Amino acid sequence: MSGQHSQNVHAFEHPGLGRKRARSTPKGRQVEPRALQEIAELLGERPRRRDLLIEHLHLIQDRYHQISAAHLAALADEMRLSFAEVFETATFYAHFDIVKEGEPTLPPLTVRVCDSLTCAMHRSEELLESLTSAVGPSVRVVRAPCLGLCDQAPVAEVGHHFIHAATTQGVLAAIEAGDTHPHMADYVDYDAYRSGGGYDLLDSLRSGERSVDSILAILDDSGLRGLGGAGFPTGRKWRAVLGEPGPRLMAVNGDEGEPGTFKDRHYLNTDPHRFLEGMLIGAHVVAATDAYIYLRDEYPLAREILTREIAKLPPGGPEIHMRRGAGAYICGEESSLLESIEGKRGLPRHKPPYPFQVGLFGQPTLINNVETLYWIRDIVEKGNGWWNSHGRNGRTGLRSYSVSGRVKEPGVKLAPAGVTIRELIDEFCGGMQDGHRFHAYLPGGASGGILPARMDDIPLDFGTLEKHGCFIGSAAVVVLSDHDDIRGAALNLMRFFEDESCGQCTPCRAGTQKAVVLMQRSVWDQDLLGELSQAMRDASICGLGQAASNPLTCVMRYFPEEFMTRDAAE
């Protein structure tokens, strides 16, 4: 049978057997020569490695303000990848504006208006509608999830310039002036940091004057935990990575996308070398050959500062790589972050193995949050006695609370760990805004649940909120007043999770979507919502789906008046 088939093929192809040769026609997507030339020139001498795919997509987006199908095909050809590989990665991330074949090109300028909870409380929906009708055809206005400036709500982003307390007139003025780039702010640069004793600790570690074991012992005794949300003991994590065979790598999670969180932005924009020294100390302790800083795309100023200051560092230590996120909240999950650094879609990995065993590029990897590394120098130099001298209500240490909402003085508040919401509002935030009565609060960002004002005496720290169906997470505190709709707040948060679900697992993908539909009804089916929430918690792959229902279940548990009032109205 195979021989007969071979003969038939040969007869068909042989020009002397009286049968016409089939006309050769191009198969698949063809690369346009002009697009290929543009991509080759844009990439220049940059490597064409697979892990740089997202970085190269950013180059196209920055240059052309969109990514055409022709440029995607040319990039795939230039990087020796299939078009499908490039397309699926590019379309996964919200900040890549993909223009498919036959579609009109996009306007050259995009304005993003944040619609997450704190901005929504400050009428960002009205701002969005007003701008949409006010701008011309050369400007595109879109809604965006949290931009990391909740203390300045409402926020709009014109290009890469952020408008604080945005108004329609203010945004239009920025557009008219062509003000589309981040504004540089004052910060502690390399020389100033060095003059204040910066990098002395790192130098003593590298010279052997101070041992790795001494650093690990201090971290163990301090009780410092991961401040990105998970709260894993820092010393134990470093020891776990060190216990794996090399080579080892390090990754910094600077992708704080949780609505209400902006502490990392504050520290990176003001004192970047304190974070960098902590990172380099961690890399030295675990003998990491390379360190990757993954920074969310909404932080262009921090990226510019870090790029500038890293160039000033003396030689020695790991090679530092900057990686730029592209608008995907899921990449704050550690395994999704690793996938994104590798140039792929940010889909969470199944565990085990854990990243400290098999992480970035298959190597044991130390992953730390920006703020965790920020505190390393102070804890080691000042000692555990200094760190543990802080704290309230039986807790120890310091916490950076990102506070937004209905307080007079929102912002990053450095306060004793274990402070209560009432203490935080009254002592650190100047009290409630005039005309607003404290009604509810989010103790740990969008996924940390919602508690009523009557539960104002709970220490805000690890391990104190779980029995109430909440957690501290990254200490993003959003304060709501009697002017705010609690059910509407929970719906806003669920819409965020629906939009940000990576879609890999059904409980999260379908669960968040179904929850939004049910929560939009005037009367909630609480039994069905409770069953749905439990399925999401039990069966989702990662923390996004597992925690997405926390605000929903808290509203049903702690705010029965919301349902009695509305049910009676029905």
Side-chain angles (χ1 to χ4, degrees):
M1 190 71 176
S2 61
Q4 182 181 2
H5 174 73
S6 177
Q7 287 182 349
N8 288 340
V9 172
H10 181 73
F12 180 76
E13 293 180 346
H14 200 285
L17 295 180
R19 300 183 65 179
K20 292 183 178 179
R21 180 192 293 269
R23 177 173 296 178
S24 176
T25 57
K27 299 295 191 296
R29 184 178 302 275
Q30 301 304 297
V31 180
E32 297 180 9
R34 179 178 177 181
L36 188 59
Q37 180 181 355
E38 290 172 342
I39 294 300
E41 292 176 353
L42 186 61
L43 299 188
E45 299 299 320
R46 294 178 176 87
R48 269 59 168 172
R49 298 195 316 268
R50 176 67 172 82
D51 64 290
L52 293 174
L53 173 57
I54 294 173
E55 295 297 301
H56 295 342
L57 287 167
H58 273 301
L59 292 175
I60 302 173
Q61 179 74 40
D62 291 344
R63 171 69 63 85
Y64 298 100
H65 310 294
Q66 56 199 295
I67 303 177
S68 67
H71 280 151
L72 280 180
L75 181 62
D77 185 80
E78 186 73 16
M79 297 187 69
R80 301 295 185 265
L81 300 172
S82 70
F83 181 82
E85 286 180 282
V86 176
F87 182 81
E88 72 175 8
T89 299
T91 53
F92 181 85
Y93 297 93
H95 289 186
F96 295 139
D97 298 317
I98 310 302
V99 179
K100 301 176 183 177
E101 288 186 8
E103 293 182 346
T105 59
L106 299 175
L109 180 62
T110 295
V111 174
R112 302 180 189 275
V113 179
C114 179
D115 67 353
S116 288
L117 180 57
T118 306
C119 283
M121 290 163 58
H122 289 81
R123 301 184 175 180
S124 62
E125 193 68 33
E126 296 178 14
L127 175 64
L128 179 69
E129 294 176 2
S130 175
L131 286 172
T132 300
S133 60
V135 300
S138 62
V139 179
R140 181 177 63 132
V141 179
V142 299
R143 63 177 67 246
C146 187
L147 296 174
L149 285 161
C150 312
D151 55 332
Q152 305 292 332
V155 179
E157 182 184 10
V158 180
H160 280 302
H161 171 53
F162 294 88
I163 311 293
H164 301 176
T167 63
T168 301
Q169 293 74 20
V171 174
L172 292 177
I175 295 172
E176 180 67 23
D179 192 2
T180 60
H181 298 286
H183 292 185
M184 185 58 66
D186 292 332
Y187 66 90
V188 181
D189 64 8
Y190 178 78
D191 291 336
Y193 184 73
R194 262 294 193 188
S195 65
Y199 292 111
D200 288 350
L201 174 59
L202 177 63
D203 291 341
S204 68
L205 186 61
R206 287 178 172 175
S207 68
E209 179 184 346
R210 186 183 290 268
S211 70
V212 166
D213 287 341
S214 70
I215 300 292
L216 291 172
I218 291 174
L219 292 180
D220 288 338
D221 293 342
S222 71
L224 178 66
R225 300 173 66 170
L227 300 175
F232 195 84
T234 304
R236 195 194 310 174
K237 176 182 284 190
W238 288 20
R239 289 183 186 277
V241 176
L242 187 58
E244 294 294 317
R248 307 178 195 92
L249 302 173
M250 183 174 187
V252 176
N253 189 343
D255 193 57
E256 58 170 5
E258 181 95 358
T261 309
F262 45 89
K263 61 185 177 58
D264 290 351
R265 170 185 60 82
H266 169 74
Y267 288 124
L268 290 173
N269 286 359
T270 57
D271 199 0
H273 284 282
R274 197 169 298 269
F275 148 70
L276 286 172
E277 184 171 11
M279 179 191 75
L280 293 172
I281 290 170
H284 181 90
V285 167
V286 302
T289 60
D290 296 78
Y292 291 78
I293 302 174
Y294 188 93
L295 194 63
R296 68 181 305 206
D297 197 31
E298 292 86 350
Y299 290 175
L301 178 57
R303 185 170 64 252
E304 184 175 338
I305 290 173
L306 285 174
T307 301
R308 177 185 301 181
E309 296 304 311
I310 288 172
K312 299 176 183 178
L313 295 175
E319 184 172 353
I320 301 175
H321 310 264
M322 290 287 293
R323 287 291 188 270
R324 182 176 170 186
Y329 166 71
I330 188 64
C331 291
E333 192 274 335
E334 61 178 8
S335 66
S336 301
L337 176 143
L338 298 179
E339 290 288 297
S340 191
I341 291 176
E342 293 178 1
K344 298 177 288 188
R345 294 177 295 167
L347 300 180
R349 298 176 180 177
H350 292 275
K351 303 171 186 176
Y354 296 95
F356 80 88
Q357 301 165 313
V358 180
L360 193 57
F361 307 118
Q363 302 301 320
T365 304
L366 173 62
I367 306 175
N368 277 131
N369 165 260
V370 168
E371 191 197 355
T372 307
L373 297 171
Y374 179 89
W375 287 115
I376 298 297
R377 174 192 167 191
D378 281 337
I379 290 175
V380 174
E381 288 186 344
K382 297 179 181 179
N384 294 327
W386 167 79
W387 179 254
N388 292 324
S389 68
H390 301 282
R392 290 189 186 178
N393 303 307
R395 320 303 294 184
T396 58
L398 291 166
R399 289 302 300 266
S400 302
Y401 297 92
S402 304
V403 186
S404 64
R406 304 300 189 181
V407 295
K408 287 183 178 179
E409 301 170 8
V412 176
K413 307 298 178 180
L414 184 59
V419 68
T420 67
I421 185 61
R422 180 61 69 180
E423 293 168 337
L424 193 60
I425 292 173
D426 293 344
E427 297 178 35
F428 296 88
C429 300
M432 295 292 293
Q433 291 178 355
D434 294 339
H436 290 263
R437 179 174 56 84
F438 179 36
H439 182 49
Y441 67 106
L442 280 66
S447 58
I450 305 176
L451 292 174
R454 65 179 181 274
M455 299 175 66
D456 63 355
D457 58 349
I458 304 171
L460 299 178
D461 198 16
F462 295 114
T464 61
L465 294 155
E466 284 76 2
K467 65 182 178 182
H468 304 292
C470 300
F471 57 79
I472 187 66
S474 59
V477 178
V478 182
V479 179
L480 292 81
S481 77
D482 53 342
H483 292 210
D484 299 310
D485 176 8
I486 303 302
R487 293 207 327 177
L491 176 57
N492 177 282
L493 299 172
M494 188 60 73
R495 282 175 172 154
F496 171 83
F497 291 124
E498 177 193 20
D499 186 60
E500 294 295 335
S501 172
C502 74
Q504 181 178 195
C505 68
T506 301
C508 177
R509 180 186 65 251
T512 53
Q513 183 182 42
K514 182 65 173 178
V516 166
V517 172
L518 294 173
M519 293 168 72
Q520 287 175 326
R521 297 177 180 175
S522 57
V523 178
W524 284 7
D525 185 334
Q526 296 190 56
D527 290 339
L528 182 56
L529 283 169
E531 183 180 349
L532 179 63
S533 298
Q534 190 65 48
M536 291 168 62
R537 283 194 296 271
D538 291 344
S540 295
I541 291 175
C542 79
L544 188 153
Q546 294 165 9
S549 63
N550 285 343
L552 161 64
T553 54
C554 281
V555 169
M556 293 191 296
R557 179 179 179 182
Y558 295 117
F559 298 89
E561 68 277 5
E562 292 284 329
F563 301 97
M564 289 187 295
T565 301
R566 298 192 184 211
D567 291 352
E570 289 295 317

